[in-house]
Amino acid sequence: MLYKEIFTDDFLNKFGEYKNKIANIELTNYGIDVEKIAKICGIKVNYSASETSGWSIYEKKDDNSNDKKEILINELEPKYRQNFTLAHEVGHIILGHTGKSYRNYDINQYDTIDRMNEVLANKFAAELIMPKKLVVTVLKKNIKCLNYQEDTFLDDSEMNNLIEKSAKDLNVSYQALKYRMDNLGVLVNE
């Protein structure tokens, strides 16, 4: 399956000149390869111990030839956290948020513009690593794998097992997937 079969055209359009290369990446497992996307977009990614979860620098040059695009990811954080932070920081750069952006857990430390940029980067990251079509595919696969019935109500234990297994497949945290499922209205038990 290619990324163009997973992402909407509207989302892929956000990548501008990199759209076609990203659209033609092959999904080799259920996790989106954010590092490969960063590389295609000319973004340098470094891993190091850091006081924050990560940060990005985007300095746009007039001629676009030597734009500085760099991300630092805290190597001490769990892999799923690193993955989300990388997607978030790629979002800042792709969305054109110039300057230095720090990934901070406390949204109250940002001014209004920075807060809006953080919300947009979070939304971008969720769409990047958990596109609806892929989330639904992984959930259906795991419903079958866990021998659950697709048309029946899942109890709390079954739902937790399903989310946990699917989150591992997608290389995201349980909380991130649950939040994304709620936002997408996917498998809401009511």
Side-chain angles (χ1 to χ4, degrees), residues 8 20 42 52 66 70 77 105 107 114 122 145 181:
T8 65
N20 289 333
T52 64
N66 291 317
E70 189 174 334
E77 298 214 324
Y105 297 113
I107 196 84
D114 289 339
N122 276 339
C145 181
M181 289 170 57

Side-chain angles (χ1 to χ4, degrees), residues 44-161:
K44 183 178 179 185
V45 179
N46 298 304
Y47 290 85
S48 178
S50 173
E51 291 180 14
T52 64
S53 207
W55 52 257
S56 62
I57 296 174
Y58 181 36
E59 295 174 359
K60 194 163 179 57
K61 309 293 185 200
D62 291 335
D63 64 0
N64 288 345
S65 62
N66 291 317
D67 290 353
K68 182 175 183 180
K69 299 184 278 188
E70 189 174 334
I71 294 173
L72 175 78
I73 302 297
N74 188 342
E75 68 185 358
L76 302 177
E77 298 214 324
K79 291 292 183 194
Y80 63 81
R81 180 74 241 168
Q82 292 177 25
N83 193 47
F84 191 88
T85 300
L86 180 56
H88 174 95
E89 298 303 336
V90 166
H92 278 302
I93 292 170
I94 295 301
L95 297 171
H97 303 161
T98 56
K100 192 166 189 177
S101 300
Y102 285 93
R103 180 93 174 104
N104 194 313
Y105 297 113
D106 185 4
I107 196 84
N108 295 320
Q109 291 188 8
Y110 299 108
D111 65 26
T112 302
I113 299 297
D114 289 339
R115 193 173 300 133
M116 288 178 4
N117 286 345
E118 288 303 305
V119 169
L120 291 171
N122 276 339
K123 184 177 185 295
F124 180 94
E127 289 180 66
L128 179 61
I129 61 177
M130 295 175 282
K132 183 175 183 174
K133 189 170 185 176
L134 184 58
V135 168
V136 169
T137 298
V138 169
L139 289 170
K140 283 183 176 184
K141 173 192 80 86
N142 286 326
I143 285 171
K144 191 177 222 179
C145 181
L146 292 166
N147 292 317
Y148 298 159
Q149 297 299 313
E150 202 169 317
D151 300 351
T152 60
F153 181 85
L154 299 177
D155 66 30
D156 287 344
S157 175
E158 292 169 330
M159 183 62 85
N160 288 337
N161 288 338

Side-chain angles (χ1 to χ4, degrees), residues 175-189:
Q175 294 82 3
L177 180 56
K178 178 149 182 17
Y179 186 75
R180 182 73 170 146
M181 289 170 57
D182 289 346
N183 283 337
L184 294 171
V186 175
L187 281 180
V188 177
N189 267 344

